[in-house]
Amino acid sequence: MVRGKRLWISLLFLLLGLGPGCSKKAPSPSPPSTEPVHGGQVTIAVTQDISSFNEYTGFAESTELAILDLLFPSLLIEQPDYEQHPPSFAPNLAVSWAFSEDNRTLTFHLRPNARWSDGTPVTAEDVAFTFRVQKDSRLPWSGQEIKDFIEAVEVVSPTEVRFRFSRTYPYQLMDANDGHILPAHAWGKIPIEEWTHTDFSRHLVTSGPFRVASHVPQQSLTLARDPAYWDPPKPYLDRVVFKIIPDTGQQLSQLLAGLVDVVLMVPPREAAELKRHPKVEVVEVPSRVWGYIGWNNRRPPLSDRRVRRALTLAINRQAIVDTVYWGFARLAKGPIPSTMWAANRNLEPLPYDPAQAAALLDAAGVRDTNGDGFRDWQGKAFTVELLYPSVNTLRAQAAVMIQADLAKVGVKVQPTPMEFTAMMARQEAGNFDAVLSAWEEATKVDMASLWVTPSATAGSNNFVGYSNPEVDLLVAQAREENDLDKAKVFWDRAQELIVEDQPVTFLYEGVQLVGISRRIKGANINPASVFFNLPEWYCEP
Amino acid sequence: MTARLIRRLAASIFVVWLVASGTFFLVALTPGDLASKMGDPRISPAARQRLREHFGLDRPIWQRYSSWLAHAVSGDLGDSFLFRRPVREVLAQALPNTALLACWGLFLELALGLALGLVQAYKPHSFWDRLLSGLSLAAYAMPAFLVAAVLLWLLAYTFPVFPPSHMAEPQALGLSFWGRLAETARHLALPALTVGLTGCGAVARYLRGSLLDEKRQAYMLAALARGCSKRRALLLHALPNALLPMITVLGLSLPFLVSGSLVVEVIFSWPGMGQVFYAAVTARDVPLIQAGTVLVTAAVVAGNWLADVAYSWADPRMRG
């Protein structure tokens, strides 16, 4: 299936005359017109339909949340400026906000002219209602823990709402802002017990730059400009159409044919070819995704950090970045992507050094004892089963390169493609040697989930079973620290220790490749979201 | 006769129950569940646990099974974990789309296969026979994604005669009934042709073989001896008999009407059952997988049964 799909993408490109031999010099992006103009339509290809218009009934993918951003207001807009400091916030539904002196109370002042699509004003009652929904244990919302330290949300007046916190910490504003505001007057009438099986497309009351004009399940979602939007003259576009196209080959072909204007995830190989096309621009957005090989730290000899370091040293990670990702990635250095303020800038990636790797393996007692060319451990062949999701062709290619690299130092690797959910289950159960996977760092830096020793009672995402008491202590200290500069010292040291221990091999930092038609102007595509400033997009007249 | 029908019906229900139960336990015993699919780092382990509790995935397997069976028997298919809507609504949306594509796909498959088989059998071992044999073997061997790629290149992108995907353009919602019908027909062309082209080779091969068998029968010699033309003998005497095995082929195709083709549906963004099943399986959406399994199994049983009935109607020898 994977091979088939891959072949199909390549074939279509070849048939369209975009093979490697067909080189066209891409002109530089046309400069934006001076004045944005109203009107026009943008068609965006997405791989799957929105699962629900109510994010609190389960789990929403990031694209889905980005679409909901256009329909439901959030109090503030998180800015993608997390390179030097934690993200700042811009006014949205709330025009201003202020903390009390003891920092335990946060008051938002709402925009008086905000209206729901049925004409009802958006008020503090909607914010309080949304908070009750977010905390309701009858709903399986995946973000409930975010609101753990918010004790209450009180309505002061229709345009003033107050959040009371049980403790103070650096991310209070971020946590208060998380989640879209719902229409209390409309959705409050639906009993909460019925929410998880209610089709909210039949109860749509929205408040954003756009309204839902039509939704054909599994086909398209058409948004139309909301004339009552509180920030005129935006949005400029009359319509935004999300076309559901599950096949990447078709997405790219339709972009080239002018049938769609935006493709959110261009595969790296195709990006190189797409860049030659005069009507399309490929925007490279540094993402917070980083790829890794997670070694099972509980399983000897992988529990020995010398072995893990040796395995990292033996893998030519730059070659993976250059070959598999066609250079559209950066070599990863440590547990926090280098594009984030909390990253330790002094870290350097471990070098590619097979000789040192071999020496470390020898020292750890992983040697070839029977002369078959592969190393053994305590009298048995040392074979590492490397799991990766079968639908991911890039990981499949990387797995082969890792296998070849490690074979050079005498380590036998067995790449095993697995259905994603089954792989995750093996991961959760700790039943694996190594997993080739990726992680997306949240903008709220918290190393506890991945790197603190997993406890028997509280759940953890530290599936590799990494444990270093010093890291545990540093992370605890950093989390207790309200002064981010002081916290950064703890984060930096924790990162150093993690890189020394190599519980995982840090492979690459991802770059999201967005294909966008050159007729679209004003788009500021950034790591926050491709649709970050969609209300400001306009079409070339 | 009634007793036979009742026996057959009971056996059918038993088969459906057996397959559905087997699927239930297979899915339950397969590693991973809906919550494990949530690889998003922002989803905490506590949130995963809450999902499991919410959808009852933390209950013992027997409890889950008996609860599913009790609901299924009463006609309640439950709510889809993934689509967060009643399963019957999800199926009601996807099934007609798949049936539409499959019906036209099968029609093209039969029409093209029939034409190819007839031309080949008319003058076996001739140049045309050899050429069409090669072509039908190639069609038989070609994967759907390859046929789709060629059709798209030719008829959607190079000569934009047909749209490359979807059932209709978003703006088609405002069209009249006839306008929408025409819109659907335009969008149906390429996926249906893909299904038809990939399937017609097999039909042609079957038909050619059985037509040649029939041509060797004594009744054909008798017909020709009576002065019947070769073409007339082939069409009026050999073809009806040669078509009998096609009833089996058609009967076995019935499940395709409800299961859909994942590859064709994905490439052409056709919102049918293939895509729904695939999404359901990868998300371990148990209610949807179970409902789909029951539906496809019932279609297999019904297809066999209909083929038997059609046989006894078409072949007088079977009526005794």
Side-chain angles (χ1 to χ4, degrees), chain A residues 8 15 51 57 59 138 141 145 196-197 214 218-219 244 250 254 419-421 424-425 428 439-440 460-461, chain B residues 32 36-37 41 44-46 48 50 52 54 79 83-84 149 153 157 164-167 267 269 271 282 284:
Chain A
W8 139 246
L15 291 172
S51 62
T57 57
F59 29 89
R138 288 167 294 179
W141 183 47
E145 284 75 22
T196 45
H197 43 93
S214 69
Q218 310 301 322
Q219 290 284 276
I244 292 107
Q250 274 273 43
Q254 295 200 20
E419 191 262 334
F420 181 72
T421 310
M424 293 295 282
E428 266 190 283
W439 187 262
E440 187 182 8
S460 167
N461 280 321
Chain B
S36 11
K37 185 184 179 271
S44 66
R48 278 201 195 100
R50 208 167 39 246
R52 288 193 174 109
H54 186 87
D79 295 327
F83 296 94
R84 283 174 264 167
W153 165 68
Y157 294 119
S165 64
H166 296 82
M167 282 187 77
I267 292 177
S269 309
T282 50
R284 307 283 193 275

Side-chain angles (χ1 to χ4, degrees), chain A residues 4 181 224 248 276 387 394 410 417 431 459 493 501 513 535:
Chain A
I181 305 301
T248 319
R276 301 190 191 113
L387 308 181
L394 299 179
N431 177 23
R493 177 65 189 138
D501 289 338
L513 299 163

Side-chain angles (χ1 to χ4, degrees), chain B residues 204-237:
Chain B
R205 299 304 297 163
Y206 274 121
L207 194 70
R208 179 186 179 274
S210 51
L211 273 175
L212 290 185
D213 283 346
E214 293 304 323
K215 275 177 88 173
R216 283 192 283 270
Q217 300 294 321
Y219 73 86
M220 284 293 284
L221 192 66
L224 294 172
R226 283 198 303 272
C228 184
S229 75
K230 266 170 97 175
R231 187 179 300 175
R232 193 179 157 83
L234 190 72
L235 284 175
L236 294 185
H237 297 278

Side-chain angles (χ1 to χ4, degrees), chain B residues 32-191:
Chain B
D33 56 24
L34 178 77
S36 11
K37 185 184 179 271
M38 303 297 133
D40 191 324
R42 280 160 296 203
I43 297 181
S44 66
R48 278 201 195 100
Q49 189 51 33
R50 208 167 39 246
L51 268 180
R52 288 193 174 109
E53 283 164 18
H54 186 87
F55 291 110
L57 299 169
D58 56 338
R59 291 181 301 162
I61 188 169
W62 284 107
Q63 263 187 37
R64 279 183 276 155
Y65 175 70
S66 52
S67 157
W68 166 75
L69 193 62
H71 283 96
V73 167
S74 65
D76 176 10
L77 298 173
D79 295 327
S80 159
F81 297 167
L82 189 64
F83 296 94
R84 283 174 264 167
R85 279 186 296 145
V87 163
R88 71 186 136 71
E89 272 185 29
V90 177
L91 295 182
Q93 225 153 40
L95 197 59
N97 301 339
T98 285
L100 178 71
L101 171 58
C103 279
W104 282 100
L106 276 180
F107 170 75
L108 286 175
E109 177 181 318
L110 286 175
L112 288 168
L114 208 69
L116 280 173
L118 270 173
V119 173
Q120 285 179 263
Y122 184 62
K123 272 191 183 170
H125 312 297
S126 65
F127 166 76
W128 285 109
D129 179 30
R130 277 199 291 273
L131 179 75
L132 293 178
S133 276
L135 284 178
S136 53
L137 271 175
Y140 193 28
M142 263 206 289
F145 70 84
L146 188 69
V147 176
V150 174
L151 287 177
L152 278 169
W153 165 68
L154 190 69
L155 298 173
Y157 294 119
T158 308
F159 305 103
V161 184
F162 297 113
S165 64
H166 296 82
M167 282 187 77
E169 296 306 320
Q171 55 269 29
L173 284 172
L175 293 176
S176 65
F177 171 77
W178 294 109
R180 277 157 76 170
L181 198 69
E183 179 77 356
T184 309
R186 256 171 21 92
H187 283 77
L188 183 63
L190 291 186

